[in-house]
Amino acid sequence: MEFEELVEKVVKGEIKLHQVEKYTDKRRATEVRRKALEKKLGVKLEHIGHYSIDPEQLIGRNIENMIGVVQIPMGVAGPLKINGEYAKGEFYIPLATTEGALVASVNRGCSALTEAGGVKTTLIDDKMTRAPLLKCPDARRAREVAEWVKANIDYLQEKAVSKVTRHGKLRDVKPYIVGNNLYLRFEFETGDAMGMNMVTISSEEIMKVIEEEFPDVRYLALSGNLCVDKKPNAMNFINGRGKTVIAEAIVPREIVEKKLKTTPELIAEVNYRKNLVGSAQAGSYGFNAHFGNIVGAIFLATGQDEAQITEGSHGITLAEVTPEGDLYISVTMPSLEIGTVGGGTRVPTQREALSIMGVAGGGDPPGTNAKKFAEIVAGAVLAGELSLLAAIAAKHLAKAHKELGR
């Protein structure tokens, strides 16, 4: 079918948007949909139609009904020296954002932290969770099922998980019972993948085994909302999901005063009254200044699941004056859901952004790239927190946005 004929049929509704690939290849289908929208809506989508990535590699894996791309400016902050367990050395951090002053602020924080000797990062936990819902005859039966599942982790790994993935490993389960409802919060190791697809498919296989073992129990929902995925929640804040990581540093008073134009005492007081007291009054899960800014910019640059910026914004910033009069500052991130393989990390531009940090693709041994990436993200978040708290303490925030964000 000729190009214009295809466009006309889409405009008239004779061919639906998702059906265009039946009549042509994926690249041409992308052009057809875009031209049909232009014709039907009377708009020009010139910039959306300019891109270098290949629709043949994306449609059916990363996107449906593709019409083009959205371009987001990407800057880089750094170098940032990180003294981590997996990330060691100096790193540049790609940040995709349209918020003026953000990259400059993170860059200033990187400069101060690097001059101070770098950021110490510590990975506390690493797991991806899924929490299916089972309807049981009563609470006692729910307890019996939960006890059986807890006692049979290795059996479920062999019988169910290993059938559908070579990389995922079921390591634990935390059951929650509400009336006759049983929520099984499974914890998996997922290597360098963020792992949501892996644990979802694995959890469904586990449900089949449980239903065979307990015919009177009904598997009702693959996610019972205790996972918890893409929503603000106390569960992940307390128990973690994805990578739980801490970044910390001691910044000498001289650097705080000369580079950040304030004092350790003022930064500590602003953090206490703003990030801790203010956040408590707001009922926030983000006891921090702006984790979401840095997490969001890195997620967009590197092909992470953008909805999981929600949990990435959870966390606590601490700041205190040391006995020597310097500034101790840390960020604790309980739920950083990231990966270096799979999903959006396959998109060429996002893969290139990962390569800037040396974390594109799988690590050797598996899982080390994602852990290294988590430490870099935490370091960047610490840089952003330090710079913003200093700007607020020095009353420079509005001035910076006037100069860089307007």
Side-chain angles (χ1 to χ4, degrees):
M1 196 178 299
E2 293 297 322
F3 183 84
E4 290 301 331
E5 185 181 359
L6 265 175
V7 170
E8 196 60 34
K9 285 184 176 293
V10 173
V11 170
K12 292 178 178 178
E14 296 173 11
I15 296 175
K16 297 186 184 299
L17 292 173
H18 69 274
Q19 296 174 329
V20 182
E21 278 83 0
K22 293 181 180 179
Y23 302 94
T24 186
D25 62 71
K26 292 175 181 177
R27 178 175 287 277
R28 195 158 171 258
T30 301
E31 308 302 312
V32 167
R33 276 188 289 265
R34 189 173 66 256
K35 290 297 181 185
L37 279 180
E38 287 182 336
K39 192 168 184 178
K40 190 167 186 176
L41 302 177
V43 295
K44 290 295 291 181
L45 305 178
E46 178 185 355
H47 295 287
I48 289 174
H50 281 87
Y51 50 87
S52 61
I53 57 180
D54 184 3
E56 294 288 344
Q57 301 299 317
L58 303 179
I59 293 174
R61 301 179 76 185
N62 297 98
I63 191 69
E64 301 80 39
N65 295 352
M66 184 173 173
I67 63 168
V69 302
V70 167
Q71 299 181 76
I72 304 173
M74 183 162 66
V76 65
L80 173 63
K81 184 178 181 181
I82 298 179
N83 308 310
E85 297 170 292
Y86 299 91
K88 302 175 189 292
E90 293 192 348
F91 298 89
Y92 289 91
I93 299 110
L95 300 162
T97 182
T98 54
E99 181 184 346
L102 176 60
V103 176
S105 178
V106 176
N107 196 64
R108 183 174 78 138
C110 290
S111 177
L113 290 169
T114 298
E115 188 177 334
V119 178
K120 184 177 183 179
T121 52
T122 304
L123 193 71
I124 304 299
D125 198 6
D126 180 10
K127 61 177 179 285
M128 183 45 64
T129 61
R130 180 54 95 191
L133 163 61
L134 293 159
K135 183 180 179 182
C136 303
D138 53 35
R140 190 165 300 171
R141 187 59 163 166
R143 187 182 67 186
E144 290 171 1
V145 176
E147 289 173 347
W148 182 88
V149 172
K150 288 170 68 177
N152 285 277
I153 294 296
D154 291 341
Y155 173 72
L156 291 170
Q157 171 67 30
E158 180 184 350
K159 183 80 171 176
V161 179
S162 61
K163 285 173 57 178
V164 294
T165 176
R166 292 181 292 111
H167 305 289
K169 186 177 189 307
L170 178 63
R171 71 173 206 185
D172 202 359
V173 63
K174 299 290 193 302
Y176 297 86
I177 299 170
V178 181
N180 62 347
N181 298 296
L182 172 60
Y183 304 85
L184 294 169
R185 192 174 192 255
F186 292 112
E187 299 179 357
F188 295 84
E189 296 174 7
T190 60
D192 285 301
M194 182 270 284
M196 274 306 306
N197 288 341
M198 190 188 301
V199 304
T200 296
I201 295 166
S202 297
S203 295
E204 187 160 64
E205 287 300 312
I206 292 171
M207 290 301 99
K208 294 175 185 177
V209 175
I210 292 174
E211 283 191 313
E212 287 177 8
E213 190 73 25
F214 300 94
D216 58 339
V217 170
R218 184 155 65 99
Y219 156 47
L220 205 59
L222 189 54
S223 171
N225 265 16
L226 263 76
C227 309
V228 178
D229 195 33
K230 305 174 184 178
K231 291 169 279 292
N233 65 92
M235 178 70 73
N236 294 2
F237 190 89
I238 296 167
N239 295 321
R241 188 173 194 249
K243 309 290 190 288
T244 299
V245 61
I246 295 172
E248 56 191 339
I250 293 177
V251 187
R253 175 177 292 274
E254 182 181 7
I255 293 175
V256 175
E257 292 176 348
K258 289 186 177 180
K259 190 174 284 286
L260 301 175
K261 312 302 182 187
T262 184
T263 65
E265 288 81 6
L266 269 174
I267 288 178
E269 183 173 11
V270 168
N271 185 72
Y272 167 69
R273 298 185 186 279
K274 168 187 165 64
N275 286 342
L276 304 184
V277 178
S279 296
Q281 177 66 20
S284 174
Y285 291 122
F287 290 81
N288 59 75
H290 67 150
F291 280 22
N293 251 339
I294 297 91
V295 170
I298 295 175
F299 271 37
L300 292 174
T302 60
Q304 309 306 307
D305 190 326
E306 62 272 11
Q308 291 175 331
I309 296 168
T310 303
E311 298 100 288
S313 69
H314 291 177
I316 301 171
T317 298
L318 294 180
E320 59 188 53
V321 182
T322 69
E324 295 75 25
D326 299 322
L327 175 69
Y328 168 85
I329 185 166
S330 70
V331 295
T332 299
M333 306 185 72
S335 187
L336 188 57
E337 299 148 320
I338 57 173
T340 60
V341 299
T345 69
R346 290 187 293 246
V347 181
T349 47
Q350 281 79 342
R351 190 176 179 85
E352 288 177 7
L354 286 167
S355 73
I356 292 172
M357 296 174 284
V359 295
D364 184 18
T368 52
N369 259 8
K371 290 172 181 175
K372 177 181 176 182
F373 184 29
E375 292 188 342
I376 296 169
V377 174
V381 168
L382 182 64
E385 289 289 289
L386 174 62
S387 184
L388 180 54
L389 285 171
I392 293 171
K395 299 182 174 61
H396 291 163
L397 180 62
K399 179 184 176 184
H401 277 269
K402 283 178 184 177
E403 292 177 355
L404 298 173
R406 296 185 69 175

